[in-house]
Amino acid sequence: MRYLLPVFAGLGLLLAFTADDVLTRIVNRFNAYHQEFPQEKVYLHCDRPYYALGETIWFKGYLFDAASHRADTVSRVLYVDLISNGKTLLQKRVLPSEGMATGDFYLADTLQEGLYQIRAYTNWMRNFDDDFFFTKEFQVYQPAVTERNLVQAKEECSVQFFPEGGDLVQDIECRVGFKAINQSGRGVAIQGVILEDNKDTVTAFQSEHLGMGRLMMTPRAGKIYTAVFNHGTTTQRLTLPEAKPQGHVLIVDNLSNKDLIRVFIFNQLPATEANKELFIVAQMRGEVLFVAKGSTGKKTFVANVPRAKFTEEGIVQFTLFGANAEPLAERLAYVRQPNSILSLELKTDKAAYKPREKVTLDFEAKDAAGKPVLGDFSLAVTDAGQVTPERYPQTLVSYLLMSSDLKGFIEEPGYYFDPQNTNAVLYLDFLMMTQGWRRFNWKQILTEESKRPAYWVEQGLSLTGKVTRPNGKILEKKGINVTMFMTPPRQAPMLEVVPAEADGSYAFHNLYFGDSVKVMMQAVAGKNDRNLSVTLHGFPAPTVRLIKTPFQPVDIQAEAFANYLSRANENLEIERRFRLDKARLLKEITVKARRTEETDSRKIYGRSDATVKFDQMNASGATSIFQVLQGRVAGLTISGGGMEYTVQIRGAMNFSGVVEPLFVLDGIPVDKQTVATIPPTDVDYVDVLKGSSAAIYGSRGAGGVISILTKRGNTSYDWSKETIPGQLIRVLDGYAKVREFYSPDYSVDAPENRRPDYRSTLYWNPHVQTDENGKARITFYNTDHATQIQAQLEGACSDGRIGTVKVSYRVQ
């Protein structure tokens, strides 16, 4: 393995070398880890930033491979949780197609007003830090409440200082980033000075963007440094981290050169540590893109990293390693590459419209070279007069390229991707210095031991559980088979059998079923030991962290907010009245028809010649079906006993002897021995077909037919009323049903179009697909409200390029 080294200051030459054992180990372990533990990213596009009770949250989920940012088609279950007050209120399991999934949450008016979270993840993502689940926080309001007690954030703020690379080192000039936030988690402006031993001023500083900024200082041995800063009328003091007497300082210059990223290494080490090797490794999304080698023999060296090394846009992690492959310092930098972002154009056919007028949006998607692209996008059109648009909100672009690789709350993430913001590059570098980074842990990666993932990649829904004795003890010697049976609506019945593990656990994978499906689990140990207890685990529900600051506050225009709550309350009332009026319109009617007998889908014949009902009186004390039938049907002769019964209808015989009837169990032909083993208590009734009545079965029914219909075989049988050892019955919700957003067509005169229409979300389309020319056309109708309308569209193509665009128009 060979790497090309950059020019080091003081060396003045370009070197090529064969990577030694340390560098080889670092790179090989890193590559092996990411091959063994590939990661995923999930993003949700929601139609609005906040909601009222009685409304619906519409969302589209995008699944990506974290390394390539291509659509993730591996995981086939996307979990979406609705969370409030630290509890998961609802969970939807949605089925992705080509890495995309759609769904919704209805906010019932029985819920409480407050701060909510929507969280999305796959089962595989649970193997890693849940900070990298997609999480969006939003406010839900009670429309009937018009006055609220506003809690003002305290004037006091919290400030953190972040030495670049990780540590302050004595007698080395260090660059220090800082971030100041208030009680609501928002950045606040501060200014102050750094004092040495609370006397001499070392340097002055002030924040530049959302409470962030940076300063330069050279800490001295034995000195204590204190930051004294002002926020508003309040003065605060904070002691800086103590400087280390020895160590390394890593500084990244990502601003001054358009072709290079310059990485500076400063060393302060004893003589015993001189002339030891140092390594710089730069990785992006799990791929090592640059390595460099230096030495502690010089106090300073610099690695010039060509920007051309990074063909994709995103966060680069620069890490300094020592001779023993231990990480010594680390810094993040953001690399711009325009070819990662699509060029999107969204245009209206008019500048202004009338209420309820048809709107046509023309959409075009191109790559950086101007070529049309095929992609799948989601579009939300909202009433800006009711729902105040967010200032620089999170978008697919900002999340996938930046936020998804960082920990913690990021204020106004869209700011750094708005081309109108001339200082975005500088302020994004501030963010890289002050935001948490934990997606990859070097100590974990460099550990030689490979850990087995606790959670698997789901190709479908999974049902897991455990089988024990009723007292909870595990069966150690007997093999256990677990049978699962379910009949999803409009699907073929599902029957599977799996062996349980040694500890009694079992699992059924790759299942597909929708909402409200009755599932039966049955376990048998050995040949016929059913004295077992079966449990069924629920679907994944990771631990919920309580919402703490920093959280996402929403700046809402007072007039728009009052208008929104008023309209939301009116809409709820209109819906209630509409449902009530619709119910009152139903008049009493009388239906006259002949009574029809219920048909059993297990029967291919019509009427039987005789039917024996297996009620408690008939079946009491009987050990065989044949004992119950004896003497109850004219022409039916049953003789013998045990497993050697002889059955004959109307004396049917041929040259070979007695011709016994065909035995049918719940519509399926079986042999006589099987019938003899069925407990009479499991039978609902038996039909007997004689002569021509049995002709439907052809030559097999020459001796007549005995059709046994069991209680459990009946589709209307209520399993839940049974308490049977070794059996468990549950009603489960599988994949969530996809609902379609209601978009009225005001070009037709329909009863539902006569209602007032002041919806805050005018239109939601989770699948706007471009054609081979990169174009798509969308149409919808305005509401009754004369207002400003905003349309936000975002999405991706299959190769990982993404984009977002918005347009607004007026209704007057």
Side-chain angles (χ1 to χ4, degrees):
M1 184 182 297
R2 298 178 65 87
Y3 299 98
L4 189 65
L5 286 186
V7 176
F8 290 141
L11 298 182
L13 71 162
L14 196 65
L15 300 176
F17 76 103
T18 302
D20 58 16
D21 292 341
V22 175
L23 188 57
T24 302
R25 179 192 168 204
I26 293 172
V27 175
N28 287 348
R29 282 301 305 156
F30 186 79
N31 292 336
Y33 175 83
H34 287 284
Q35 288 179 2
E36 187 176 2
F37 295 97
Q39 298 198 24
E40 299 172 311
K41 294 181 180 181
V42 172
Y43 172 77
L44 291 188
H45 178 198
C46 299
D47 63 315
R48 283 197 270 124
Y50 53 88
Y51 299 86
L53 295 177
E55 294 182 329
T56 298
I57 302 171
W58 299 95
F59 64 82
K60 178 178 180 179
Y62 293 84
L63 284 73
F64 297 94
D65 171 69
S68 66
H69 283 181
R70 292 179 177 272
D72 174 25
T73 58
V74 178
S75 288
R76 298 286 290 164
V77 185
L78 176 63
Y79 296 91
V80 185
D81 299 337
L82 183 66
I83 299 169
S84 177
N85 294 323
K87 296 181 180 179
T88 301
L89 303 180
L90 296 169
Q91 184 185 80
K92 292 285 182 80
R93 289 163 292 282
V94 291
L95 176 63
S97 175
E98 300 300 322
M100 300 178 187
T102 61
D104 65 273
F105 282 111
Y106 173 69
L107 299 172
D109 54 11
T110 55
L111 296 175
Q112 299 294 317
E113 177 176 300
L115 189 64
Y116 284 67
Q117 284 181 335
I118 189 169
R119 179 177 65 175
Y121 53 93
T122 65
N123 194 53
W124 177 255
M125 290 172 67
R126 298 177 65 203
N127 290 301
F128 312 101
D129 194 333
D130 59 8
D131 276 332
F132 295 104
F133 292 179
F134 175 86
T135 302
K136 176 181 173 66
E137 297 173 1
F138 58 94
Q139 194 74 27
V140 174
Y141 298 99
Q142 170 59 260
V145 178
T146 57
E147 294 185 3
R148 290 172 172 80
N149 295 322
L150 298 178
V151 179
Q152 297 292 333
K154 295 181 181 179
E155 192 174 3
E156 184 176 324
C157 69
S158 173
V159 179
Q160 287 182 289
F161 289 87
F162 303 90
E164 187 168 7
D167 297 309
L168 292 173
V169 180
Q170 293 175 7
D171 299 323
I172 295 180
E173 187 176 32
C174 303
R175 192 160 60 176
V176 181
F178 62 88
K179 186 174 185 178
I181 59 173
N182 61 16
Q183 298 291 341
S184 296
R186 286 286 184 97
V188 294
I190 62 169
Q191 58 182 0
V193 294
I194 303 295
L195 300 180
E196 185 177 86
D197 292 338
N198 283 323
K199 296 179 181 178
D200 299 327
T201 298
V202 175
T203 186
F205 64 90
Q206 68 177 28
S207 59
E208 297 185 50
H209 176 69
L210 299 177
M212 294 183 292
R214 61 187 174 198
L215 56 91
M216 298 293 294
M217 63 178 292
T218 305
R220 305 297 180 186
K223 302 296 182 180
I224 297 175
Y225 295 90
T226 304
V228 181
F229 54 91
N230 297 324
H231 164 55
T233 59
T234 303
T235 300
Q236 294 177 240
R237 304 172 70 91
L238 180 68
T239 301
L240 268 62
E242 184 178 354
K244 292 185 175 182
Q246 300 168 1
H248 310 269
V249 171
L250 181 153
I251 293 180
V252 174
D253 176 11
N254 190 29
L255 303 175
S256 64
N257 193 301
K258 66 176 183 178
D259 298 319
L260 298 172
I261 299 175
R262 308 189 75 198
V263 181
F264 297 87
I265 304 298
F266 301 91
N267 304 306
Q268 178 78 315
L269 299 170
T272 56
E273 295 294 320
N275 296 319
K276 289 191 175 182
E277 291 180 323
L278 295 174
F279 305 95
I280 298 173
V281 176
Q283 70 85 17
M284 174 188 283
R285 303 183 203 157
E287 182 181 2
V288 175
L289 298 175
F290 178 85
V291 295
K293 180 180 177 182
S295 170
T296 58
K298 290 186 175 294
K299 287 199 171 184
T300 303
F301 70 84
V302 58
N304 293 315
V305 186
R307 294 186 184 274
K309 289 281 185 182
F310 310 105
T311 58
E312 301 291 337
E313 178 161 342
I315 296 175
V316 180
Q317 180 187 25
F318 291 95
T319 306
L320 177 69
F321 289 93
N324 295 323
E326 73 276 18
L328 303 175
E330 194 168 87
R331 166 75 147 90
L332 303 182
Y334 192 90
V335 175
R336 301 277 185 179
Q337 283 293 350
N339 62 344
S340 298
I341 301 178
L342 296 173
S343 174
L344 306 182
E345 186 178 21
L346 188 64
K347 297 187 298 184
T348 60
D349 59 332
K350 297 172 65 175
Y353 298 85
K354 297 178 181 178
R356 297 205 175 195
E357 186 178 356
K358 184 178 181 179
V359 178
T360 299
L361 296 181
D362 286 312
F363 171 55
E364 187 172 10
K366 298 178 181 178
D367 61 16
K371 296 180 179 179
V373 296
L374 292 168
D376 197 308
F377 303 82
S378 46
L379 171 67
V381 182
T382 55
D383 182 343
Q386 297 185 58
V387 179
T388 304
E390 292 179 279
R391 174 182 164 90
Y392 303 120
Q394 185 84 271
T395 66
L396 177 57
V397 172
S398 65
Y399 183 79
L400 193 64
L401 298 181
M402 181 187 69
S403 304
S404 58
D405 287 322
L406 299 174
K407 265 195 170 185
F409 167 72
I410 300 175
E411 186 177 356
E412 298 185 356
Y415 175 90
Y416 309 102
F417 298 88
D418 189 335
Q420 303 299 320
N421 298 327
T422 55
N423 289 323
V425 174
L426 172 63
Y427 296 156
L428 183 53
D429 202 49
F430 289 177
L431 184 70
M432 294 297 102
M433 291 184 66
T434 59
Q435 198 71 30
W437 168 270
R438 291 295 181 274
R439 183 172 281 278
F440 305 121
N441 186 315
W442 278 112
K443 291 183 178 180
Q444 178 184 358
I445 291 174
L446 295 175
T447 301
E448 297 293 341
E449 296 181 4
S450 179
K451 294 184 179 180
R452 183 180 178 182
Y455 305 97
W456 58 90
V457 175
E458 289 184 316
Q459 294 290 298
L461 297 174
S462 300
L463 297 179
T464 62
K466 198 167 187 178
V467 180
T468 62
R469 288 296 187 192
N471 60 6
K473 291 186 177 180
I474 297 173
L475 285 76
E476 296 181 354
K477 296 183 179 180
K478 289 187 176 182
I480 302 173
N481 286 326
V482 183
T483 302
M484 177 208 67
F485 179 74
M486 70 169 71
T487 53
R490 296 177 297 280
Q491 287 181 234
M494 300 170 62
L495 178 67
E496 289 188 30
V497 181
V498 297
E501 301 292 336
D503 62 353
S505 61
Y506 66 88
F508 295 90
H509 299 300
N510 304 333
L511 305 175
Y512 176 85
F513 58 93
D515 289 344
S516 301
V517 175
K518 189 174 288 186
V519 179
M520 180 183 73
M521 296 290 181
Q522 183 171 287
V524 178
K527 291 184 178 180
N528 199 28
D529 184 356
R530 300 175 185 271
N531 185 29
L532 305 170
S533 175
V534 183
T535 59
L536 182 63
H537 301 156
F539 288 103
T543 302
V544 176
R545 296 181 180 178
L546 291 175
I547 298 174
K548 300 177 181 179
T549 56
F551 65 91
Q552 176 67 66
V554 180
D555 289 331
I556 305 175
Q557 297 176 4
E559 183 178 351
F561 181 58
N563 189 23
Y564 166 66
L565 291 181
S566 175
R567 296 300 188 192
N569 199 30
E570 289 176 10
N571 288 337
L572 284 176
E573 187 60 32
I574 289 171
E575 288 294 332
R576 294 190 189 101
R577 290 181 180 179
F578 182 76
R579 288 194 296 267
L580 182 60
D581 291 343
K582 191 174 181 180
R584 287 173 178 170
L585 287 173
L586 297 176
K587 298 180 180 179
E588 182 180 343
I589 59 174
T590 302
V591 177
K592 294 182 179 181
R594 290 185 179 181
R595 181 179 178 179
T596 58
E597 294 185 1
E598 294 184 2
T599 59
D600 194 322
S601 60
R602 298 170 293 175
K603 297 163 59 171
I604 65 172
Y605 52 88
R607 289 181 176 272
S608 62
D609 293 300
T611 298
V612 178
K613 187 71 176 176
F614 276 50
D615 53 25
Q616 186 174 2
M617 181 179 295
N618 291 341
S620 178
T623 60
S624 167
I625 291 176
F626 298 122
Q627 290 180 353
V628 179
L629 293 177
Q630 277 180 325
R632 295 186 183 275
V633 178
L636 175 62
T637 304
I638 299 176
S639 58
M643 299 295 290
E644 300 298 331
Y645 283 99
T646 300
V647 183
Q648 191 177 20
I649 297 176
R650 289 180 176 177
M653 297 183 66
N654 58 22
F655 292 110
S656 300
V658 174
V659 177
E660 291 198 320
L662 172 69
F663 297 96
V664 179
L665 177 64
D666 289 330
I668 301 174
V670 295
D671 57 32
K672 183 173 61 176
Q673 283 69 34
T674 299
V675 176
T677 62
I678 299 173
T681 53
D682 285 352
V683 178
D684 191 4
Y685 61 94
V686 172
D687 284 339
V688 179
L689 281 64
K690 311 171 185 177
S692 60
S693 299
I696 193 171
Y697 289 95
S699 60
R700 294 180 302 170
V705 176
I706 292 180
S707 176
I708 301 102
L709 290 306
T710 64
K711 297 173 182 176
R712 297 181 191 177
N714 193 333
T715 55
S716 61
Y717 179 66
D718 189 356
W719 293 339
S720 61
K721 293 182 179 179
E722 281 196 13
T723 303
I724 300 174
Q727 192 176 98
L728 177 72
I729 295 153
R730 290 286 185 272
V731 176
L732 302 178
D733 288 335
Y735 284 115
K737 183 178 180 181
V738 178
R739 291 201 303 155
E740 186 177 352
F741 180 84
Y742 170 69
S743 182
D745 181 358
Y746 287 134
S747 66
V748 298
D749 184 15
E752 60 270 19
N753 289 345
R754 298 168 191 167
R755 294 183 293 167
D757 184 3
Y758 290 96
R759 292 169 295 125
S760 49
T761 298
L762 283 70
Y763 185 70
W764 165 255
N765 188 341
H767 290 296
V768 177
Q769 297 177 328
T770 53
D771 58 19
E772 63 277 5
N773 297 316
K775 296 181 179 181
R777 173 166 287 185
I778 311 106
T779 61
F780 57 90
Y781 288 84
N782 291 317
T783 63
D784 294 325
H785 197 198
T787 182
Q788 189 77 15
I789 303 297
Q790 177 169 289
Q792 177 87 26
L793 183 144
E794 52 190 357
C797 51
S798 60
D799 65 1
R801 287 170 294 174
I802 54 178
T804 182
V805 66
K806 61 183 178 181
V807 69
S808 61
Y809 64 87
R810 186 76 189 172
V811 178
Q812 57 191 25

